[in-house]
Amino acid sequence: MSAPVTEFPDAKIYLVDDDAGVREALGWLLRTRRLVSDGYDSAEAFLAEAAVARREPDAPCCVLLDVRMSGMSGLALFEQLRELPWQAAMPIIFLSGHADVATAVDAVKRGAFDFCEKPFSDNALVDRVEHALRRSAAELAQRATARGLQQRLDSLTERERDVMNLVVAGLPNKLVADQLQISVRTVEVHRSRVFDKMGVKSAVELANLLRGA
């Protein structure tokens, strides 16, 4: 029987564990769900080699991170990754031994996505990975939307911004013209350009777009 088709064909799972056997087993497990992974034998290697540690990912991803490793610990790596502006798009699932459960729970309270205690259930772990990838995909989509909106706002002239702010505040064209000491016709021209650049057809749609930013 062939492996099920994944909903995340471009996703990447980063395995950070100093136990080669664990990395190999996890890699095989993920392949059964057609999920691609990269393995790193230390936190230092991940920071040095994984592109996602230096720039925002362009596809859904997550990190499976061992709590205890030689050299930099998983917890120390987590603290560094928390500082990345795109960390929310890179959910972190801790792999913890029984003695590390309290540490992993504390990390979840501080922003880690989840933890799985060793030995873990294969299906349960991959299910959590897929949940993390959905979170990553949603965050990446939200960030892309925010960037697109900012680009549209940046395309407005200073006068178009002035008009937009008053239109969004609910002022009719006549009052906008009075406030800015320009003609109603000029307001209409700027208003039309704002709508075109922002990709909306009404003041209500524009207000809703900005409210969701």
Side-chain angles (χ1 to χ4, degrees), residues 17-29:
D17 195 306
D18 59 2
D19 187 324
V22 171
R23 295 196 307 275
E24 182 177 346
L26 287 173
W28 175 86
L29 174 62

Side-chain angles (χ1 to χ4, degrees), residues 25-192:
L26 287 173
W28 175 86
L29 174 62
L30 293 168
R31 286 194 297 274
T32 67
R33 299 277 190 103
R34 294 190 177 179
L35 292 170
V36 176
S37 64
D38 282 346
Y40 301 88
D41 62 6
S42 67
E44 291 87 348
F46 176 80
L47 290 173
E49 300 169 18
V52 75
R54 297 182 296 279
R55 65 174 182 268
E56 181 177 328
D58 54 12
C61 67
C62 75
V63 180
L64 292 180
L65 178 58
D66 191 21
V67 173
R68 292 195 185 190
M69 294 183 289
S70 57
M72 181 187 292
S73 70
L75 197 61
L77 174 59
F78 170 65
E79 292 301 329
Q80 287 202 29
L81 297 180
R82 285 180 67 202
E83 302 302 317
L84 296 175
W86 58 85
Q87 196 280 309
M90 185 175 60
I92 295 169
I93 299 175
F94 273 103
L95 303 176
S96 66
H98 179 71
D100 300 314
V101 167
T103 299
V105 169
D106 181 64
V108 169
K109 292 178 180 177
R110 289 183 293 113
F113 181 77
D114 205 348
F115 76 95
C116 289
E117 185 179 353
K118 300 176 182 178
F120 37 75
S121 162
D122 290 353
N123 286 331
L125 175 59
V126 181
D127 286 347
R128 294 310 295 155
V129 166
E130 291 185 335
H131 281 300
L133 292 176
R134 291 186 190 99
R135 170 80 63 83
S136 176
E139 180 66 23
L140 289 172
Q142 184 177 4
R143 292 177 66 84
T145 297
R147 281 196 299 272
L149 176 57
Q150 188 58 55
Q151 289 170 357
R152 282 180 274 175
L153 288 171
D154 291 343
S155 73
L156 300 177
T157 65
E158 183 176 352
R159 179 60 83 191
E160 287 167 352
R161 277 181 175 270
D162 292 339
V163 170
M164 179 185 71
N165 290 335
L166 294 175
V167 167
V168 168
L171 273 66
N173 290 350
K174 178 65 170 65
L175 290 183
V176 173
D178 290 345
Q179 287 258 3
L180 300 179
Q181 297 184 331
I182 56 179
S183 70
V184 172
R185 176 57 185 158
T186 300
V187 170
E188 291 172 347
V189 170
H190 285 312
R191 179 185 174 117
S192 176

